[in-house]
Amino acid sequence: MMTRKTKILLFVIMDMVFVLAAWLLTSVFSRIDFVYYIRNTVLLMIGDIILTFIIFKLFGLYNNIMKYMGFAEVLKMIAASLCTIAIHFVYAIFLKYVFTVPDFDAHWAFTVSITFVVLVFLSRFFYCFFDYLRGIFRADKETDKRVRVIIVGGGDAGAMLIKELHSTNKLRYVPVAVLDDDENKIGQFISGVRVVGKVSDVVKVARQFKADEIIITMPSVGNKKKSKIIKECQKTNCKIKILPGMYQFVEGKVSVNAIKEVSIQDLLGREQVQVNLDEIMGYIENKTILVTGGGGSIGSELCRQIASHNPKRLIILDIYENNAYDIQQELVRRYPELDLVVQIASVRDSNKMNKVFENFKPNIVFHAAAHKHVPLMENCPNEAVKNNVSGTFKVASAAGRNGTERFILISTDKAVNPTNIMGATKRICEMIIQAMNNKYDTEYVAVRFGNVLGSNGSVIPLFRKQIEEGGPITVTHKDIIRYFMTIPEAVSLVLQAGAYAKGGEIFVLDMGEPVRIYDLAVNMIKLSGLEPFRDIDIKIVGLRPGEKLYEERLMAEEGLQRTENNMISIGKPIKFDEEKLFEKIQELYVEAYNETDKMKKLVHELVPTYKIDEGKNS
């Protein structure tokens, strides 16, 4: 195998030989006396060789990787050749009028030029041709080791990928067919691979060509259509991969390295959430921001997005030092100029919360610290009250006393008609911020949304782990549904909802269409290249304590008011006795630390919509 330097040297020598050959051949064709020709032109020939080398070097012809030659490289060769033609005409004039050699005229210059250019192009062509044949020969020898691939999408991205698959010897991929819904392309060839049909023909084509994998190369297609294409491809037994973003295609980065596994996000069938970054910048920039629970799934993403919007200072507060350390180190690497403070503390600690607010005077607080795991909180209701209710009350109170401008509570759709203690405590948190809004000058708001993909304790990491262990995947009920959104999407909407805050609102995020968890399990097995019920079983285990079949975004009394972003709505606040709320919170606080057995009933008195499972912990 030749090294890069050896290949460059080879082409330099070849081009120099071609200059010499062009001169010699032209002299023969022109019937110039050979002895006379050598004696009078040898120095000029050497000069021509040196100038040709300089021109080719300046045009970067020796820096091209030959097997990746494309239109741009051909244009460079044409431009360099035109320059050498110009040199040959200058030489013809020089020889005719300075050296008075009559045979060296425009006809001679044209013949030398054409001969040289043809030799240069032929050398490059044969190099690519033999390299291609060598790749085919190697593929034939290793047929049993190669992965047969169907390309879905016969556009520019697909064509670029096929070209790379052909030219990359180290890869095991062999494109065997292309599918595209454009009928004008069917029957045509893309870099030697035939467009054999539409996307709907994928099952038949996969069987016909004995395909192992499918690569979807449609970076500009919308998420809804992409989801349909993926589901169609899932009807085959092939592993499915996808070329992700349009930005990579625009930047010319379509390559095998860009291909990724199809993810659950690709199957949601929902367009990417859009936010108005100018609105977010308007209230985040040059402000001191505090994020409680800053090391968690939501909290850490809040920190990432806030850090990118030029805050004056960012304070991460979390009880778990490992998570806080991880996000701290990430932000230090990405934003070395950021004024970053990390506080290891519990939101239950009144003195610590007061001290943090007195020392740092945060302008804006995002309160993400909470116990969120439904079954665990069902077994530990006192801990849910201590952390969620008491913690929110203490942080919100400290914010009000220290002149915080805005306080944003991260809530959940489980707070609506809750069937579990976690949801009920989050409903109390929403009531706290509404009451605090009437007590202090701080603008208190809550943002309510459903499940986020990949968050700690969520179903997707659980399913992934169960698949890795060989199954079974455990689903609580075949008809259970949930709303899903990616963590970055949910956080960007939380940030924009904060821009709309006037005080007392409960913002409700539109989570798109609900997803059946059973279907999610089936798709995750297929995305892993396995067959449901053959390779991985799915087991129905029954609803967990406090779990319901579907989540609601609003209570019966709440209406919906739209904001400028259609993904964010405002629920009409429900009136309640605020003095009674504060009294009950103190009672809950005392009872929780006394480890009462009646916590769920006490919470029910404050949240009448909370439906206690009488068969469980009371």
Side-chain angles (χ1 to χ4, degrees):
M1 193 71 164
M2 284 193 295
T3 65
R4 179 175 175 273
K5 289 184 178 179
T6 305
K7 287 180 182 179
I8 291 174
L9 181 61
L10 173 64
F11 276 106
V12 170
I13 293 171
M14 284 171 57
D15 291 340
M16 302 309 98
V17 170
F18 293 156
V19 174
L20 179 62
W23 276 62
L24 293 174
L25 288 172
T26 305
S27 71
V28 173
F29 295 147
S30 302
R31 297 181 181 180
I32 298 173
D33 181 77
F34 189 74
V35 175
Y36 178 80
Y37 169 82
I38 292 294
R39 188 174 64 247
N40 285 278
T41 61
V42 65
L43 290 177
L44 293 171
M45 198 181 337
I46 292 170
D48 191 11
I49 289 172
I50 294 170
L51 285 172
T52 301
F53 168 74
I54 292 171
I55 290 171
F56 275 34
K57 180 70 175 174
L58 289 174
F59 277 91
L61 296 193
Y62 299 123
N63 295 327
N64 294 330
I65 301 174
M66 293 306 301
K67 63 182 178 180
Y68 294 145
M69 268 191 66
F71 186 67
E73 287 73 27
V74 172
L75 284 179
K76 283 184 182 180
M77 287 179 60
I78 292 172
S81 299
L82 289 174
C83 285
T84 57
I85 288 172
I87 286 177
H88 292 142
F89 272 93
V90 169
Y91 261 68
I93 295 169
F94 192 68
L95 290 168
K96 185 171 184 177
Y97 294 105
V98 177
F99 280 79
T100 62
V101 183
D103 291 319
F104 292 101
D105 53 11
H107 178 269
W108 171 88
F110 180 76
T111 308
V112 168
S113 301
I114 294 299
T115 305
F116 174 70
V117 170
V118 168
L119 290 171
V120 168
F121 271 85
L122 282 175
S123 68
R124 269 62 174 179
F125 169 78
F126 280 112
Y127 180 90
C128 294
F129 178 70
F130 286 120
D131 190 68
Y132 178 73
L133 288 179
R134 186 176 58 182
I136 292 175
F137 178 70
R138 185 182 287 108
D140 288 339
K141 286 175 65 177
E142 302 176 1
T143 302
D144 55 330
K145 300 178 183 178
R146 307 285 278 188
V147 178
R148 299 172 65 81
V149 178
I150 294 173
I151 305 296
V152 176
D156 292 339
M160 291 167 71
L161 184 62
I162 291 170
K163 185 177 179 181
E164 172 137 342
L165 292 176
H166 278 321
S167 60
T168 308
N169 294 328
K170 293 180 181 179
L171 294 170
R172 298 183 299 114
Y173 291 110
V174 178
V176 294
V178 178
L179 296 175
D180 198 289
D181 286 337
D182 185 351
E183 292 186 359
N184 294 322
K185 293 180 181 178
I186 296 175
Q188 303 296 312
F189 286 84
I190 300 175
S191 295
V193 184
R194 190 165 181 261
V195 182
V196 297
K198 296 183 178 181
V199 177
S200 57
D201 300 322
V202 65
V203 176
K204 178 181 69 177
V205 172
R207 192 182 307 115
Q208 177 185 348
F209 287 88
K210 299 178 181 178
D212 303 300
E213 290 189 12
I214 297 170
I215 301 177
I216 301 169
T217 60
M218 305 174 76
S220 62
V221 76
N223 285 353
K224 284 188 177 180
K225 186 173 180 181
K226 186 193 298 180
S227 176
K228 289 181 180 178
I229 292 170
I230 293 170
K231 288 174 182 175
E232 193 70 33
C233 294
Q234 282 185 321
K235 295 176 183 177
T236 70
N237 293 323
C238 301
K239 194 169 184 178
I240 306 166
K241 294 183 179 178
I242 191 166
L243 193 68
M246 186 64 188
Y247 74 93
Q248 289 177 314
F249 171 65
V250 171
E251 294 180 2
K253 294 180 182 177
V254 173
S255 70
V256 176
N257 294 331
I259 298 169
K260 70 178 184 69
E261 302 287 341
V262 172
S263 66
I264 290 298
Q265 289 93 317
D266 296 318
L267 281 166
L268 284 182
R270 180 174 43 73
E271 298 304 323
Q272 186 76 15
V273 169
Q274 301 295 325
V275 298
N276 188 333
L277 294 179
D278 292 334
E279 288 181 341
I280 295 172
M281 286 286 286
Y283 81 102
I284 292 291
E285 194 172 18
N286 294 322
K287 296 293 179 69
T288 298
I289 315 292
L290 168 65
V291 180
T292 70
S297 304
I298 297 295
S300 61
E301 182 61 28
L302 273 167
C303 292
R304 290 184 191 97
Q305 294 197 27
I306 290 167
S308 69
H309 288 95
N310 302 318
K312 179 181 178 181
R313 172 179 285 169
L314 174 59
I315 306 161
I316 300 172
L317 188 146
D318 203 293
I319 188 63
Y320 185 40
E321 72 274 18
N322 291 346
N323 282 349
Y325 176 78
D326 288 342
I327 186 63
Q328 178 197 41
Q329 294 306 303
E330 178 185 334
L331 295 181
V332 165
R333 290 192 302 271
R334 292 174 62 182
Y335 306 100
E337 303 300 321
L338 176 66
D339 185 353
L340 183 63
V341 176
V342 176
Q343 292 286 295
I344 303 302
S346 170
V347 294
R348 304 180 186 188
D349 188 337
S350 298
N351 292 333
K352 181 65 175 180
M353 291 303 100
N354 291 332
K355 197 70 175 175
V356 168
F357 277 86
E358 288 170 6
N359 289 345
F360 299 107
K361 297 293 182 183
N363 303 108
I364 301 169
V365 175
F366 290 91
H367 182 49
H371 284 328
K372 304 181 183 75
H373 200 281
V374 170
L376 290 181
M377 291 304 101
E378 285 302 292
N379 294 327
C380 307
N382 291 329
E383 296 307 307
V385 170
K386 290 176 190 176
N387 207 58
N388 296 358
V389 177
S390 182
T392 298
F393 182 81
K394 290 173 180 178
V395 178
S397 298
R401 286 194 300 270
N402 288 277
T404 296
E405 298 170 15
R406 198 165 293 177
F407 185 101
I408 297 106
L409 167 73
I410 307 299
S411 189
T412 171
D413 56 6
K414 292 176 176 62
V416 181
N417 299 320
T419 57
N420 54 71
I421 192 68
M422 192 282 283
T425 56
K426 294 298 279 186
R427 174 57 194 152
I428 297 174
C429 294
E430 293 179 349
M431 295 165 71
I432 288 171
I433 66 101
Q434 287 182 260
M436 290 286 185
N437 192 67
N438 296 326
K439 185 176 180 180
Y440 296 105
D441 291 334
T442 301
E443 296 172 343
Y444 292 87
V445 298
V447 182
R448 185 191 291 166
F449 56 87
N451 299 274
V452 286
L453 289 169
S455 64
N456 294 333
S458 68
V459 69
I460 289 177
L462 172 64
F463 284 175
R464 190 173 290 122
K465 185 175 180 61
Q466 289 175 334
I467 291 171
E468 289 172 357
E469 294 174 350
I473 283 184
T474 54
V475 177
T476 57
H477 194 286
K478 196 166 186 177
D479 296 322
I480 194 168
I481 61 171
R482 289 291 181 268
Y483 293 91
F484 284 99
M485 186 177 281
T486 66
I487 294 175
E489 284 179 317
V491 167
S492 64
L493 287 175
V494 168
L495 289 172
Q496 189 164 10
Y500 296 146
K502 292 182 173 60
E505 301 100 334
I506 297 177
F507 291 99
V508 182
L509 303 189
D510 185 348
M511 303 291 287
E513 294 297 318
V515 176
R516 200 165 73 125
I517 302 299
Y518 184 86
D519 295 338
L520 187 68
V522 170
N523 282 326
M524 285 194 68
I525 294 170
K526 287 184 176 180
L527 290 180
S528 301
L530 303 170
E531 185 68 26
F533 306 108
R534 187 189 70 188
D535 303 313
I536 301 287
D537 198 12
I538 300 175
K539 186 178 180 181
I540 307 298
V541 296
L543 292 174
R544 300 176 297 176
E547 193 172 42
K548 53 184 177 181
L549 285 177
Y550 61 94
E551 304 292 358
E552 305 158 87
R553 297 194 304 152
L554 291 172
M555 289 179 280
E557 300 91 337
E558 294 176 319
L560 268 184
Q561 176 187 340
R562 287 287 180 184
T563 65
E564 294 176 22
N565 188 327
N566 289 329
M567 299 290 291
I568 305 173
S569 303
I570 302 173
K572 183 180 177 182
I574 300 170
K575 293 183 179 180
F576 54 86
D577 188 331
E578 294 178 7
E579 288 187 12
K580 180 183 176 183
L581 171 68
F582 291 135
E583 289 174 6
K584 279 288 186 182
I585 287 173
Q586 292 303 317
E587 181 184 343
L588 292 177
Y589 177 81
V590 172
E591 292 293 339
Y593 279 92
N594 286 334
E595 297 299 334
T596 179
D597 294 330
K598 304 295 182 183
M599 182 51 72
K600 291 184 180 180
K601 287 183 178 179
L602 293 172
V603 169
H604 175 72
E605 291 174 11
L606 192 54
V607 185
T609 56
Y610 170 35
K611 303 175 182 66
I612 302 175
D613 186 349
E614 298 294 346
K616 300 290 180 184
N617 198 348
S618 60

